[in-house]
């Protein structure tokens, strides 16, 4: 990730337009906050990919929210039929009209965290397999330069995660969607996180999918009900929460459960304030401990010299 970031910074001065591919189900959690600092004031095309998996009403809300930001254009594309992808080259030209002249080259850079569908999108743009595609995060390993059409070139970059996720809930959302490898989180942890949200945001989807007339109030009770419905019962009649968790997570990821978006702009803004205040508190406490240790050393009495040293 550090190497990828360094390579991007080395060529960013040559780039006219930055394209960031995000997951429509979590437009905030799947964006890379480092991109804001890297791109500066360059135009940004925000692509909300996999919109066929997301809640269409919330996708519209997110597009309006993103386009209210400076120099940002947002569009939604689907996984299976990204018809709008063919218009991206034209959109790139519109964003830099001063370079949209014969003989001038326009350079765009496409970025995105692992497993948001960036490589599949590139293949659609060029009409042939140019970028490596896979279901696992971090398939693209190095930069590629691709000609989209006359005068428009696209620089592909490896999927780049940031060193620290400031909003802890974003980590769980990425895990639920498959943006982070399953080995990074316990299945039960992310299933409990997902269930807590779904019980509030999409109760009818849960009722319909798992044949429940009434939903439990707590996520642990819901997963227990799901486990019993699907036969995830161990000896002694205890529910196998690991198997029940796998069922829920897999059915979220493959759209079996329905169109789901895991965050809204309002929700994210509130969370960011909370985690910023929490981080500021942690830093203040850490500095206070350092200062206390420093005072302790200063006030520590000096050892008396032994008479043998006189």
């Amino acid at each position: 990730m550090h190497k990828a970031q360094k390579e991007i910074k080395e060529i960013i001065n040559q780039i006219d337009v930055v394209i960031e591919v995000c997951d429509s189900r979590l437009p905030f959690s799947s964006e890379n906050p480092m991109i804001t600092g890297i791109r500066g004031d360059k135009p940004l095309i925000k692509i909300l990919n996999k919109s066929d998996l997301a809640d269409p009403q919330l996708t519209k809300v997110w597009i309006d929210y993103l386009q209210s930001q400076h120099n940002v254009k947002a569009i939604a594309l689907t996984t299976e039929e990204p018809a709008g992808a063919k218009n991206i080259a034209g959109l790139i030209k519109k964003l830099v009209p001063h370079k949209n002249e014969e003989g001038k080259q326009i350079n765009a850079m496409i970025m995105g965290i692992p497993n948001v569908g960036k490589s599949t999108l590139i293949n659609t743009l060029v009409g042939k397999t140019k970028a490596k595609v896979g279901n696992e995060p971090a398939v693209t390993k190095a930069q590629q330069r691709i000609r989209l059409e006359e005068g428009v070139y696209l620089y592909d970059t490896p999927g780049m995660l940031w060193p620290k996720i400031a909003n802890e809930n974003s980590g769980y959302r990425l895990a639920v969607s498959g943006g982070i490898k399953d080995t990074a989180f316990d299945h039960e942890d992310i299933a409990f996180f997902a269930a807590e949200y779904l019980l509030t945001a999409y109760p009818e989807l849960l009722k319909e999918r798992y044949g429940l007339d009434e939903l439990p109030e707590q996520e642990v009770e819901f997963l227990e009900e799901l486990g019993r419905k699907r036969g995830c019962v161990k000896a002694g009649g205890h529910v196998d929460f690991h198997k029940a968790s796998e069922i829920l997570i897999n059915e979220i990821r493959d759209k079996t459960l329905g169109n789901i978006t895991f965050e809204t702009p309002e929700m994210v803004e509130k969370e960011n304030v909370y985690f910023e205040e929490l981080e500021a508190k942690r830093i203040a406490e850490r500095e206070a401990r350092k200062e206390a240790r420093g005072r302790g050393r200063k006030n520590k009495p000096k050892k008396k010299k032994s008479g043998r040293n006189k």
Side-chain angles (χ1 to χ4, degrees):
M1 297 302 175
H2 177 73
K3 180 182 177 183
Q5 185 180 359
K6 183 180 177 182
E7 290 176 352
I8 289 168
K9 287 181 177 178
E10 287 175 352
I11 67 166
I12 193 65
N13 290 336
Q14 306 170 35
I15 301 301
D16 302 297
V17 177
V18 175
I19 303 171
E20 183 178 21
V21 184
C22 300
D23 189 322
S24 289
R25 297 168 294 176
L26 41 154
F28 169 76
S29 296
S30 61
E31 73 176 12
N32 192 328
M34 292 191 292
I35 288 179
T36 300
I38 291 173
R39 78 176 178 96
D41 199 43
K42 297 179 188 294
L44 173 65
I45 300 175
K46 203 88 162 179
I47 296 177
L48 302 188
N49 205 22
K50 305 182 181 182
S51 62
D52 49 316
L53 304 178
D55 183 328
Q57 291 183 335
L58 286 181
T59 297
K60 291 178 182 178
V61 170
W62 271 107
I63 287 177
D64 291 341
Y65 175 79
L66 293 168
Q67 292 194 145
S68 68
Q69 299 172 8
H70 176 65
N71 227 1
V72 176
K73 175 68 177 176
I75 59 174
L77 299 178
T78 66
T79 305
E80 298 173 357
E81 297 179 4
K86 294 294 183 182
N87 300 323
I88 289 177
L91 181 56
I92 292 171
K93 291 179 178 180
K94 287 181 181 179
L95 290 174
V96 282
H98 61 286
K99 294 199 72 173
N100 189 15
E101 300 173 9
E102 188 174 351
K104 288 192 175 182
Q105 180 175 310
I106 300 174
N107 295 322
M109 175 184 286
I110 188 165
M111 307 170 72
I113 68 169
N115 213 32
V116 290
K118 179 168 62 71
S119 297
T120 302
L121 172 61
I122 292 172
N123 292 341
T124 302
L125 288 171
V126 299
K128 61 182 80 172
T129 303
K130 283 282 186 182
K132 297 177 182 178
V133 179
N135 293 324
E136 284 295 318
V139 173
T140 305
K141 301 297 183 182
Q143 287 183 11
Q144 305 178 70
R145 183 172 178 269
I146 302 163
R147 181 178 178 272
L148 288 185
E149 58 179 56
E150 187 64 39
V152 181
Y153 288 85
L154 186 67
Y155 286 79
D156 182 21
T157 59
M160 185 175 66
L161 278 171
W162 49 105
K164 181 182 178 182
I165 298 175
N167 184 329
E168 294 176 10
N169 290 338
S170 292
Y172 281 98
R173 293 180 187 125
L174 287 166
V176 171
S177 70
I180 296 176
K181 289 183 178 181
D182 288 340
T183 53
F185 280 84
D186 182 83
H187 261 83
E188 292 179 37
D189 284 345
I190 61 174
F192 283 130
F193 178 88
E196 181 182 14
Y197 174 76
L198 294 170
L199 284 169
T200 302
Y202 296 98
E204 296 306 316
L205 289 183
L206 296 180
K207 286 181 181 179
E208 182 180 352
R209 177 59 190 165
Y210 301 113
L212 301 172
D213 295 327
E214 296 293 332
L215 287 177
E217 293 184 2
Q218 302 297 322
E219 60 274 17
V220 63
E221 295 169 348
F222 166 72
L223 282 168
E224 190 170 13
E225 287 280 343
L226 186 159
R228 294 192 186 283
K229 286 277 186 179
R230 295 297 181 87
C232 306
V233 181
K234 299 185 288 187
H238 299 293
V239 169
D240 187 332
F241 279 99
H242 183 78
K243 287 185 178 179
S245 298
E246 284 186 329
I247 289 172
L248 179 63
I249 298 305
N250 289 335
E251 294 193 349
I252 289 171
R253 291 177 181 175
D254 64 16
K255 197 187 170 182
T256 303
L257 191 56
N259 296 78
I260 296 169
T261 296
F262 276 92
E263 57 194 15
T264 66
E266 182 181 10
M267 178 194 304
V268 165
E269 287 180 353
K270 289 180 180 179
E271 287 181 355
N272 285 346
V273 170
Y274 169 78
F275 284 111
E276 284 171 7
E277 291 176 350
L278 185 63
E279 181 63 17
K281 183 179 178 182
R282 287 172 179 166
I283 292 172
E285 290 175 348
R286 188 163 59 244
E287 292 302 315
R289 288 195 297 270
K290 286 182 180 178
E291 186 178 346
R293 288 196 298 270
R295 284 201 304 267
R297 284 193 295 270
K298 290 177 183 177
N299 297 331
K300 190 174 180 180
K302 295 181 179 179
K303 289 184 179 180
K304 291 182 179 180
K305 292 184 178 180
S306 169
R308 287 192 299 271
N309 295 329
K310 289 181 181 180

